[in-house]
């Protein structure tokens, strides 16, 4: 009976005209595939959404997706998948709400991935990465100086880089005490923060993928005991356009996707996480099921670059911030797997610690592992000179006391493929650059 009533209500919404709804956030594209892309958007009320699209620069007939009902139950947010496109093409599109063009008919764009395999060298492409985005809200913020950046120029600076892909490395918003004590409060935080005007320009450029850390999962330093983690996962699914979330028999926010000649592995460092103070030598950050998935996914990957993204630092341990080092059995088992299986091309991405740096772990008989930490976008920053020169950190790569993001540029021919790493501050000033040659990320041939 309830299902029938819902079906009738949905049919009514799709068929009947409504008021002139408008976009409040987005549109935002997920990671594109060869023949399609998933677009996320949010409106200000119940509405019927479609996307009208066409090859960029052409005057050909426009195509339109099937309608999607944006409902109050989903905070008027939804995903529209566009498929049946041609690889390596740019497309223009606009959002239509209740049969009227939204945002004054503004035209946006996305690009499908190129079909380069077995044909040419992989295309060059640019990825941005960052973490720790705190949007101020007086009355619910901490007393005193606002924790978030009031100028918010960093997102305009990021958009100006014209990235093909942006990877959000957790703490992409911050739940407050008035948020994480109820599912309704958590949903409010997402709806409020995602709709902020300063975010829209970067959301509308390139594709986007995201992991979470403690602040967009639950309370500070939260672990697998958080009672509303099911609601947290629903919100992660609602507000991002990752290609997948977990497995049918292994829930969580982890996923993987390919972009040209790089495979990205998005890890969930909260759903299965034991508290680091647990007196158990087998305590885990990612859990056995997720680690089993990751090992198998890496073995299946043929990409020369394998980017593993986790919310916490993966290789090193500093006086501030948490780290996978606090889970030695799980971490050492994985590092041993990488060596024994001779997995080439691995680089880690992390956030959390409100500074950026390039960690490096030397491995006898193999190539060194790197962990590029990217933080903070808009949340509080600090400077502690004791953190600047530490074992396991590439000299000259620690950026503190200013908002910043990372750029990963994959470029060059197959024989000279390389990954150029940069940290750029909110003013667009480059802080450092490091080059990792693909050939140097391989096990020596025996």
């Amino acid at each position: 009976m309830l299902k029938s009533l819902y079906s009738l209500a949905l049919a009514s919404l799709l068929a009947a005209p409504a008021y002139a709804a408008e976009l409040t956030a987005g549109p935002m594209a997920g990671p594109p595939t060869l023949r399609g892309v998933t677009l996320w958007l949010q409106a200000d009320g119940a509405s019927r959404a479609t996307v009208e699209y066409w090859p960029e620069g052409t005057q050909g007939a426009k195509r339109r997706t099937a309608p999607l009902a944006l409902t109050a139950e989903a905070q008027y947010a939804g995903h529209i998948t566009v498929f049946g496109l041609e690889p390596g093409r740019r497309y223009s599109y606009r959002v239509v709400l209740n049969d009227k063009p939204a945002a004054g008919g503004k035209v946006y764009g996305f690009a499908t991935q190129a079909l380069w395999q077995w044909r040419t060298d992989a295309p060059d492409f640019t990825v941005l990465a960052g973490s720790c985005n705190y949007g101020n809200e007086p009355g619910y913020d901490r007393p005193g100086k606002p924790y978030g950046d009031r100028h918010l120029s960093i997102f305009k600076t990021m958009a100006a880089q014209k990235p093909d892909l942006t990877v959000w490395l957790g703490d992409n918003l911050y739940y407050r005490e008035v948020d994480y004590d109820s599912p309704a409060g958590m949903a409010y935080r997402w709806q409020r923060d995602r709709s902020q005007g300063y975010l829209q320009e970067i959301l509308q450029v390139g594709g986007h993928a995201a992991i979470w850390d403690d602040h967009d999962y639950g309370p500070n330093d939260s672990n697998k005991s958080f009672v509303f983690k099911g609601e947290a996962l629903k919100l992660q699914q609602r507000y991002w356009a990752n290609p997948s979330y977990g497995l049918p028999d292994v829930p969580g926010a982890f996923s993987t996707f390919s972009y040209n000649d790089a495979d990205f592995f998005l890890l969930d460092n909260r759903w299965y996480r034991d508290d680091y103070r647990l007196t158990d030598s087998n305590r885990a950050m990612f859990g056995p099921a997720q680690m089993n998935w990751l090992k198998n996914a890496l073995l299946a990957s043929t990409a020369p670059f394998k980017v593993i993204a986790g919310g916490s630092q993966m290789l090193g341990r500093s006086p501030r911030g948490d780290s996978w080092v606090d889970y030695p059995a799980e971490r050492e088992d994985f590092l041993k797997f990488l060596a024994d299986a001779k997995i080439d091309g691995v680089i880690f991405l992390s956030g959390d610690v409100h500074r950026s740096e390039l960690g490096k772990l030397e491995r006898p008989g193999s190539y060194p592992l790197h962990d590029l930490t990217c933080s903070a976008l808009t949340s509080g920053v600090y400077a502690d000179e004791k953190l600047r020169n530490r074992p396991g950190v590439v000299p000259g790569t620690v950026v503190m006391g200013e908002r910043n993001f990372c750029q990963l540029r994959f470029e060059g021919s197959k024989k000279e493929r390389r990954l150029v790493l940069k940290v750029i501050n909110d003013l667009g000033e480059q802080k450092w650059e490091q080059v990792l040659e693909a050939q140097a990320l391989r096990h020596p041939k025996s």
Side-chain angles (χ1 to χ4, degrees):
M1 179 65 176
L2 288 175
K3 184 176 182 181
S4 298
L5 290 174
Y6 175 78
S7 299
L8 287 171
L10 181 60
S12 176
L13 175 60
L14 292 176
Y19 74 102
E22 263 303 344
L23 289 174
T24 59
M28 175 193 74
T33 64
L34 291 165
R35 299 199 62 204
V37 69
T38 295
L39 303 171
W40 175 90
L41 53 87
Q42 189 168 40
D44 59 2
S47 49
R48 181 181 62 252
T50 59
V51 167
E52 190 176 60
Y53 60 98
W54 60 95
E56 185 177 86
T58 70
Q59 301 299 320
K62 295 178 174 62
R63 298 166 64 185
R64 182 176 288 196
T65 64
L68 170 72
L70 304 180
T71 66
E73 291 78 11
Q75 298 179 286
Y76 312 118
H79 301 82
I80 295 178
T81 297
V82 184
F83 188 72
L85 308 176
E86 289 301 314
R89 293 290 302 270
R90 289 201 59 83
Y91 288 83
S92 299
Y93 74 97
R94 64 178 183 173
V95 176
V96 178
L97 297 176
N98 296 331
D99 297 322
K100 296 181 179 179
K106 182 176 179 178
V107 174
Y108 309 94
F110 63 80
T112 54
Q113 291 194 49
L115 182 59
W116 60 273
Q117 295 88 340
W118 307 104
R119 294 162 176 82
T120 65
D121 290 337
D124 297 345
F125 65 101
T126 300
V127 178
L128 301 186
S131 67
C132 305
N133 171 40
Y134 188 101
N136 294 328
E137 187 179 11
Y140 299 130
D141 294 339
R142 303 175 183 180
K145 181 181 178 181
Y147 190 62
D149 182 6
R150 288 166 291 181
H151 303 292
L152 304 166
S153 59
I154 194 166
F155 297 116
K156 184 175 289 294
T157 301
M158 293 172 70
Q161 302 286 320
K162 300 185 185 305
D164 298 289
L165 180 71
T166 298
V167 179
W168 299 75
L169 294 172
D171 295 339
N172 303 315
L173 56 69
Y174 281 64
Y175 289 131
R176 318 293 205 268
E177 293 82 0
V178 295
D179 299 329
Y180 56 67
D181 64 351
S182 71
M186 295 164 65
Y188 162 82
R189 178 57 50 199
W190 273 104
Q191 188 170 30
R192 190 251 177 210
D193 280 21
R194 180 55 69 85
S195 67
Q196 298 304 298
Y198 56 77
L199 268 179
Q200 306 315 311
E201 188 170 2
I202 182 60
L203 292 180
Q204 294 164 7
V205 176
H208 296 259
I211 60 174
W212 61 21
D213 197 24
D214 51 345
H215 294 293
D216 45 351
Y217 166 81
N220 184 46
D221 293 336
S222 45
N223 57 42
K224 65 184 182 183
S225 69
F226 181 46
V227 295
F228 296 132
K229 68 181 186 180
E231 184 64 27
L233 181 56
K234 290 178 184 177
L235 290 166
Q236 186 81 351
Q237 295 168 325
R238 180 178 300 166
Y239 279 90
W240 294 108
N242 290 358
S244 61
Y245 298 86
L247 298 171
D249 56 342
V250 186
F254 59 91
S255 184
T256 185
F257 65 92
S258 300
Y259 199 98
N260 292 330
D261 60 341
D263 284 349
F264 290 82
F265 303 87
L266 310 179
L267 300 188
D268 182 340
N269 71 334
R270 293 293 160 181
W271 188 275
Y272 297 100
R273 185 191 191 107
D274 291 316
D275 194 290
Y276 71 95
R277 296 164 295 187
L278 191 68
T279 56
D280 182 343
S281 60
N282 291 315
R283 63 181 178 270
M285 177 181 285
F286 300 110
Q290 184 176 186
M291 292 308 299
N292 181 267
W293 163 80
L294 177 60
K295 291 175 182 178
N296 278 280
L298 287 168
L299 289 168
S301 172
T302 60
F305 298 104
K306 302 172 181 65
V307 183
I308 302 175
S312 305
Q313 287 194 305
M314 309 291 278
L315 300 181
R317 181 74 169 91
S318 68
R320 300 185 66 152
D322 62 8
S323 170
W324 202 14
V325 174
D326 294 327
Y327 301 82
E330 183 180 65
R331 178 179 175 274
E332 292 305 316
D333 174 77
F334 183 70
L335 294 179
K336 184 176 185 300
F337 158 77
L338 291 180
D340 292 347
K342 293 182 167 50
I343 304 296
D344 293 333
V346 170
I347 180 172
F348 294 99
L349 277 180
S350 61
D352 175 56
V353 296
H354 300 258
R355 68 178 182 277
S356 290
E357 63 189 29
L358 183 61
K360 185 177 183 180
L361 178 66
E362 298 287 354
R363 298 186 297 165
S366 186
Y367 67 93
L369 292 173
H370 293 84
D371 181 7
L372 179 62
T373 299
C374 310
S375 182
L377 291 170
T378 61
S379 64
V381 293
Y382 63 91
D384 183 348
E385 289 303 313
K386 295 191 296 293
L387 299 176
R388 193 170 296 282
N389 299 303
R390 312 188 323 273
V393 176
V394 176
T397 66
V398 177
V399 177
M400 297 182 293
E402 56 187 320
R403 275 83 180 191
N404 65 87
F405 59 93
C406 297
Q407 182 191 94
L408 297 81
R409 176 71 178 171
F410 300 80
E411 62 182 31
S413 65
K414 182 177 181 179
K415 292 183 178 180
E416 299 178 342
R417 198 67 168 165
R418 65 182 195 161
L419 173 56
V420 182
L421 307 176
K422 298 179 182 181
V423 168
I424 301 170
N425 70 10
D426 59 336
L427 302 177
E429 300 166 338
Q430 181 177 309
K431 307 302 294 186
W432 57 260
E433 176 181 309
Q434 294 279 325
V435 178
L436 301 180
E437 303 287 348
Q439 292 284 354
L441 300 180
R442 296 177 182 174
H443 282 77
K445 293 183 179 179
S446 54

